[in-house]
Amino acid sequence: MKKEVIITEQDVMAAAEQGMDAFVDVFVKAIYDAIGGELTAETMSSLNADQVTLLAYNILRDEVMDGGFVQLIHNGYGAFIFRNPFAKMMRMWGIDELAKVINKVRKLYNVYHEEIERECSDEEFMALFERMPQFDDFDDEFVENEEAWTSAVAYYVDEHIDQFAQIKKDE
């Protein structure tokens, strides 16, 4: 059973006025609200591919902007991003450069994920960054392009708004 995601027209307009980040975030928040705040295999099945992809982009952006791809993988999101058709969806959304980065990082993920995903202390986690400089250029590329990619995500959401939420007219 698909979840109904509803956002008021007023909330969409207010978010749009605040910029692309707020615009994307209002949809992300509404999707999370519709599934009870947690993305699981069960809740994921109640969403469509575009909604899941938007949540995946949000997770990717938050994790990589905070601690790079190593953090994304260590925090358990590697399989979600790299073993699902996320890169293919980014290409379908017209964000080809991000798709290329994801496909390149997937190769590193396949080699290093077991080591990165294991439980470790904070010191051991920080040491991963030193031991795996292969991720650095991709982290930098993501940070450099995040604004443009988020803008492209916002544009896609705006152009396909009915795929993400039902907009309730203000009364």
Side-chain angles (χ1 to χ4, degrees):
M1 172 96 176
K2 294 294 177 201
K3 291 286 182 183
E4 196 171 42
V5 178
I6 300 171
I7 307 173
T8 67
E9 187 176 48
Q10 182 178 352
D11 287 347
V12 173
M13 301 299 265
E17 286 177 18
Q18 292 175 34
M20 63 185 173
D21 288 331
F23 181 77
V24 169
D25 289 346
V26 77
F27 286 88
V28 168
K29 182 184 178 320
I31 294 167
Y32 273 121
D33 287 349
I35 60 172
E38 193 174 355
L39 187 63
T40 64
E42 186 180 323
T43 60
M44 205 180 322
S45 67
S46 69
L47 300 173
N48 67 39
D50 280 329
Q51 291 167 327
V52 172
T53 301
L54 182 61
L55 296 185
Y57 178 78
N58 186 66
I59 290 166
L60 173 74
R61 181 184 68 184
D62 289 352
E63 292 290 326
V64 175
M65 292 300 287
D66 187 50
F69 283 101
V70 169
Q71 178 177 303
L72 171 92
I73 296 164
H74 181 74
N75 286 344
Y77 297 112
F80 182 50
I81 299 297
F82 301 115
R83 290 191 177 147
N84 282 305
F86 179 74
K88 181 179 180 185
M89 290 297 288
M90 288 296 96
R91 193 161 270 119
M92 288 173 59
W93 287 15
I95 312 172
D96 293 348
E97 290 305 311
L98 177 55
K100 288 177 187 172
V101 168
I102 296 301
N103 285 327
K104 289 175 185 174
V105 177
R106 176 184 288 119
K107 292 173 184 163
L108 295 175
Y109 168 79
N110 289 337
V111 172
Y112 297 108
H113 77 92
E114 288 178 7
E115 182 178 356
I116 296 171
E117 290 169 346
R118 71 177 173 76
E119 288 291 318
C120 62
S121 68
D122 288 345
E123 294 82 24
E124 291 169 322
F125 173 68
M126 295 311 288
L128 290 173
F129 294 97
E130 296 295 319
R131 286 204 324 276
M132 299 182 186
Q134 308 88 315
F135 289 93
D136 291 352
D137 288 343
F138 299 114
D139 293 345
D140 293 345
E141 188 172 353
F142 190 93
V143 170
E144 289 165 14
N145 290 289
E146 181 272 332
E147 193 174 313
W149 290 338
T150 299
S151 179
V153 167
Y155 178 80
Y156 184 87
V157 171
D158 192 39
E159 291 294 305
H160 303 88
I161 213 158
D162 58 330
Q163 285 296 107
F164 296 93
Q166 182 182 347
I167 307 304
K168 192 174 105 191
K169 300 277 186 208
D170 301 321
E171 309 213 358

